[in-house]
Amino acid sequence: MKTTNDDFFNFDKEIMNDLVAQGYKGQDLAHKFNKIKQAIPKAMEKLTEEAQQESAMTKAESEKAIGL
């Protein structure tokens, strides 16, 4: 099965499962789902900006972080 970038960043199933577990149903479920879906691009942009502002780990730091 080929995965595209769209598939990689598609959180529909996870969002829906989470909302159902929280008890959302019917129109409330649809409204909350759409609200969250619309917020994802801005959240991804913010994460990207934050990651670009952080300094990269050295090789030694990353080895230590993963226990090598």
Side-chain angles (χ1 to χ4, degrees), residues 15-43:
I15 294 168
M16 188 62 72
N17 289 339
D18 187 49
L19 293 174
V20 169
Q22 291 179 43
Y24 286 94
K25 297 178 184 174
Q27 287 299 316
D28 289 337
L29 175 62
H31 176 73
K32 188 71 170 177
F33 177 83
N34 288 329
K35 187 175 180 179
I36 291 171
K37 284 284 290 183
Q38 290 174 352
I40 289 175
K42 186 170 182 149

Side-chain angles (χ1 to χ4, degrees), residues 2-64:
K2 184 178 179 184
T3 302
T4 65
N5 284 343
D6 290 339
D7 292 338
F8 184 77
F9 292 110
N10 185 340
F11 303 109
D12 289 358
K13 286 170 44 174
E14 292 82 1
I15 294 168
M16 188 62 72
N17 289 339
D18 187 49
L19 293 174
V20 169
Q22 291 179 43
Y24 286 94
K25 297 178 184 174
Q27 287 299 316
D28 289 337
L29 175 62
H31 176 73
K32 188 71 170 177
F33 177 83
N34 288 329
K35 187 175 180 179
I36 291 171
K37 284 284 290 183
Q38 290 174 352
I40 289 175
K42 186 170 182 149
M44 295 296 285
E45 184 178 313
K46 183 177 179 183
L47 286 171
T48 301
E49 289 172 2
E50 289 173 0
Q52 289 173 343
Q53 291 175 0
E54 293 180 13
S55 60
M57 284 183 164
T58 65
K59 182 178 178 184
E61 289 171 330
S62 45
E63 287 174 345
K64 184 178 179 182

